[in-house]
């Protein structure tokens, strides 16, 4: 709980809003207020970054770590209320079943998002047969309602699809993104209120009406883009954990049937269905088949992420983070990626970040960014070669090494010879001796 006397506990973005509000109240000149509004809005809306899990640019006025901290108190309060009402399922076969499925999913999740090794992973089963829903807050704080399991007669594979989908929201930073949207909307509310106000009384009246509208927007369900991303992440987590990807389709078939018989479901009220969801999941399931087969063949025993000792958790090398399946990534690991683009300005903007990823050994993110930029240059293939080598794709690394050496001979495709392009301290010619 944050109190007004504990200023250091208030996130920086919220302190901005407090200062913003105080500044408007103190200003007498509307012209000065406009300048104050404009400058603060520009500061507040400047935070966008590309999410390495999804490749999509997201508003990031609040970090995943901050979102996780803020979620803890709400989650604990929520579970505390259910416990008082004796609505938490504990020490039962159902509880053990859900925990077993979730542990296997977490075991895979940390391979994609190594920083999630430190999350305070929790899952609770809420005894409410009328509610078909589940969620995962930032930081891995999860719950599933008995209504989803019992009303849908959900199999383990289908429960894995639900929980994998929810974990996908957390891995993709969707919670922090929604919190950032709330901060941005509050700044916009104050800006519009100030611009339309003739005096302080008008300002407060306008702000009140607009705040209501902003909250209505922010409290809307997950968007269809984020739902598609969570579907994409969830089905792969489940497949790698040994759960049938075909269950993603049967799950949504059951959801559709439940909607027809019972009206709008709680789950669908917060998880709108993208167009052609079942068809998309069926297509996604095809490349998941080999992952599922490999997982069922090995049958690894996961660590107990929910109840095991924190100090005993497996270590995950951030440089070895896995990438989610895509045609582009599949081509990369086979050594078949071809860079044909020539967008020099885009490459110049990103070349510093590429060099940093190379120096830090962040191989998945390095390869992903190079593929996204699609810029034909010897340095690009040098990075692909090093990334493939670092991730254990030796044959692909050799193919990219040779391509980099070939391109280094041409003035048009050599970073050492091409105008305006820097080699970022890299000697591509070093690849000649196989280093």
């Amino acid at each position: 709980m944050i109190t007004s006397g504990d200023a250091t506990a208030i996130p920086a973005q919220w302190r901005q809003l407090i200062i913003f509000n105080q500044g408007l109240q103190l200003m007498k000149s509307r012209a000065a207020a406009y300048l104050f509004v404009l400058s603060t809005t520009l500061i507040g809306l400047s935070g966008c970054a590309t999410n390495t899990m999804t490749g999509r640019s997201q508003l990031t006025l609040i970090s995943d770590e901050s979102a996780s901290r803020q979620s803890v108190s709400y989650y604990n309060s929520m579970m505390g209320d259910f416990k008082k009402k004796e609505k938490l399922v504990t020490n039962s076969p159902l509880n053990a079943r859900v925990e077993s499925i979730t542990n296997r999913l977490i075991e895979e999740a940390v391979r994609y998002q190594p920083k999630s090794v430190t999350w305070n992973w929790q899952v609770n089963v809420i005894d409410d047969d009328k509610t078909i829903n589940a969620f995962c807050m930032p930081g891995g704080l999860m719950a599933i309602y008995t209504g989803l399991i019992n009303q849908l007669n959900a199999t383990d594979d289908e429960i894995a699809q639900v929980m994998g989908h929810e974990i996908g929201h957390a891995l993709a930073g969707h919670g922090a993104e929604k919190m950032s949207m709330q901060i941005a909307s509050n700044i916009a509310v104050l800006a519009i209120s100030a611009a339309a106000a003739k005096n302080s009384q008008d300002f407060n009246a306008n702000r009140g009406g607009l705040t209501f509208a902003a909250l209505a927007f922010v409290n809307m369900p997950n968007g269809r883009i984020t739902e598609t991303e969570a579907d994409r992440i969830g089905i792969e987590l489940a497949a790698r954990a040994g759960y049938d990807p075909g269950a993603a389709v049967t799950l949504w078939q059951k959801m559709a049937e439940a909607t027809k018989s019972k009206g709008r479901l709680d789950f669908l009220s917060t998880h709108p269905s993208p167009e052609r969801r079942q068809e998309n999941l069926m297509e996604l399931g095809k490349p998941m088949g080999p992952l599922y087969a490999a997982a069922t063949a090995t049958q690894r025993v996961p660590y107990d992420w929910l109840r095991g000792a924190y100090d005993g958790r497996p270590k995950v090398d951030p440089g070895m983070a896995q990438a989610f399946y895509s045609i582009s990534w599949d081509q990369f690991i086979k050594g078949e990626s071809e860079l044909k683009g020539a967008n020099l300005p885009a490459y110049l903007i990103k070349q510093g970040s590429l060099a940093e990823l190379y120096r830090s050994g962040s191989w998945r993110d390095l390869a992903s960014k190079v593929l996204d930029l699609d810029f034909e240059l010897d340095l690009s293939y040098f990075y692909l070669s090093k990334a493939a080598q670092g991730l254990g794709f030796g044959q692909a690394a050799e193919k990219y090494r040779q391509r980099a050496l070939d391109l280094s001979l041409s003035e048009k495709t050599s970073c050492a010879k091409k105008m305006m392009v820097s080699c970022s301290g890299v000697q591509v010619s070093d690849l000649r001796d196989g280093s």
Side-chain angles (χ1 to χ4, degrees):
M1 179 69 69
I2 297 173
T3 64
S4 58
D6 186 9
T8 59
I10 301 174
Q13 293 87 352
W14 294 111
R15 290 201 297 273
Q16 268 191 358
L17 289 177
I18 293 170
I19 295 170
F20 183 102
N21 194 10
Q22 291 172 343
L24 287 175
Q25 296 295 335
L26 292 172
M27 288 183 179
K28 304 296 183 181
S29 164
R30 286 186 73 190
Y34 288 151
L35 290 175
F36 189 82
V37 168
L38 179 60
S39 61
T40 312
T41 301
L42 289 174
I43 292 172
L45 297 179
S46 61
C48 280
T50 299
N51 187 302
T52 56
M53 297 293 294
T54 64
R56 180 170 59 85
S57 180
Q58 292 176 293
L59 188 63
T60 55
L61 299 180
I62 184 170
S63 67
D64 286 335
E65 291 74 19
S66 181
S68 297
R69 288 193 297 270
Q70 293 183 46
S71 295
V72 170
S73 60
Y74 182 76
Y75 182 82
N76 289 340
S77 175
M78 185 180 184
M79 294 305 119
D81 287 343
F82 281 123
K83 185 176 182 179
K84 289 178 183 178
K85 297 173 184 176
E86 298 183 344
K87 286 292 185 180
L88 289 185
V89 178
T90 57
N91 301 319
S92 76
L94 177 57
N95 191 259
R97 179 187 176 197
V98 169
E99 288 190 4
S100 175
I101 294 169
T102 305
N103 264 321
R104 287 167 62 176
L105 293 169
I106 297 171
E107 185 87 354
E108 301 307 320
V110 298
R111 302 177 194 276
Y112 291 94
Q113 188 70 285
K115 68 180 181 181
S116 68
V117 166
T118 65
W119 287 3
N120 181 25
W121 292 97
Q122 297 183 50
V123 66
N124 278 283
V125 180
I126 300 170
D127 186 9
D128 181 354
D129 277 344
K130 294 182 179 180
T131 301
I132 299 179
N133 210 350
F135 62 82
C136 181
M137 294 181 185
L141 306 174
M142 295 169 277
I144 185 170
Y145 290 78
T146 56
L148 189 149
I149 299 170
N150 296 333
Q151 287 196 47
L152 301 184
N153 191 24
T155 65
D156 285 6
D157 293 306
E158 289 166 346
I159 293 173
Q161 297 299 331
V162 171
M163 300 310 292
H165 175 99
E166 298 307 325
I167 291 172
H169 280 303
L171 293 181
H174 293 160
E177 184 178 20
K178 288 185 75 174
M179 290 182 183
S180 296
M181 290 172 64
Q182 185 170 355
I183 292 171
S185 69
N186 283 338
I187 292 175
V189 163
L190 293 173
I192 297 171
S193 298
K198 296 178 181 178
N199 50 51
S200 61
Q201 186 174 359
D202 272 359
F203 171 76
N204 288 326
N206 291 340
R207 181 180 60 176
L210 288 168
T211 299
F212 180 81
L215 288 175
F217 168 75
V218 169
N219 291 329
M220 285 174 63
N222 292 313
R224 283 174 169 77
I225 291 176
T226 57
E227 279 300 288
T228 299
E229 290 174 348
D231 279 350
R232 172 68 194 81
I233 295 170
I235 195 172
E236 183 160 335
L237 290 179
R240 287 189 180 274
Y243 293 104
D244 185 358
V249 178
T250 60
L251 170 72
W252 284 102
Q253 288 172 343
K254 289 181 178 181
M255 288 279 194
E257 288 300 316
T259 304
K260 291 177 183 177
S261 61
K262 301 179 185 301
R264 189 166 181 80
L265 302 182
D266 299 276
F267 190 85
L268 294 180
S269 69
T270 54
H271 299 74
S273 184
E275 292 182 10
R276 300 181 64 253
R277 187 174 215 153
Q278 291 183 34
E279 293 90 336
N280 291 338
L281 287 169
M282 196 175 295
E283 286 300 312
L284 281 173
K286 294 177 182 177
M288 296 300 106
L291 302 181
Y292 170 55
T296 54
T298 56
Q299 294 183 332
R300 294 194 308 266
V301 177
Y303 182 75
D304 189 349
W305 295 90
L306 299 168
R307 298 183 182 274
Y310 183 87
D311 293 341
R313 291 181 170 183
K315 305 298 181 185
V316 180
D317 182 358
M320 298 296 290
Q322 289 184 172
F324 285 101
Y325 172 86
S326 67
I327 293 176
S328 174
W329 189 259
D330 191 49
Q331 291 174 336
F332 163 70
I333 65 179
K334 293 176 181 177
E336 298 173 356
S337 296
E338 294 186 16
L339 308 177
K340 298 180 179 180
N343 190 341
L344 180 59
Y347 193 86
L348 293 176
I349 291 171
K350 297 293 185 179
Q351 64 180 357
S353 62
L354 292 176
E356 179 57 33
L357 290 171
Y358 167 63
R359 288 191 291 268
S360 66
S362 300
W363 305 125
R364 177 195 66 185
D365 296 346
L366 175 61
S368 295
K369 283 190 177 293
V370 171
L371 295 175
D372 286 343
L373 284 169
D374 187 29
F375 189 72
E376 188 179 27
L377 191 71
D378 60 348
L379 183 58
S380 298
Y381 281 97
F382 173 92
Y383 286 144
L384 288 183
S385 176
K386 292 298 183 180
Q389 183 179 8
L391 292 170
F393 307 126
Q395 291 184 345
E398 175 58 27
K399 290 180 180 180
Y400 299 133
R401 183 185 78 86
Q402 190 57 55
R403 183 63 176 148
L405 291 174
D406 291 344
L407 292 176
S408 69
L409 302 176
S410 170
E411 290 187 3
K412 293 182 178 180
T413 54
S414 168
C415 63
K417 302 172 183 177
K418 191 175 181 69
M419 291 287 290
M420 299 177 66
V421 175
S422 166
C423 289
S424 301
V426 169
Q427 295 292 331
V428 176
S429 58
D430 289 346
L431 291 174
R432 295 191 184 281
D433 59 7
S435 62

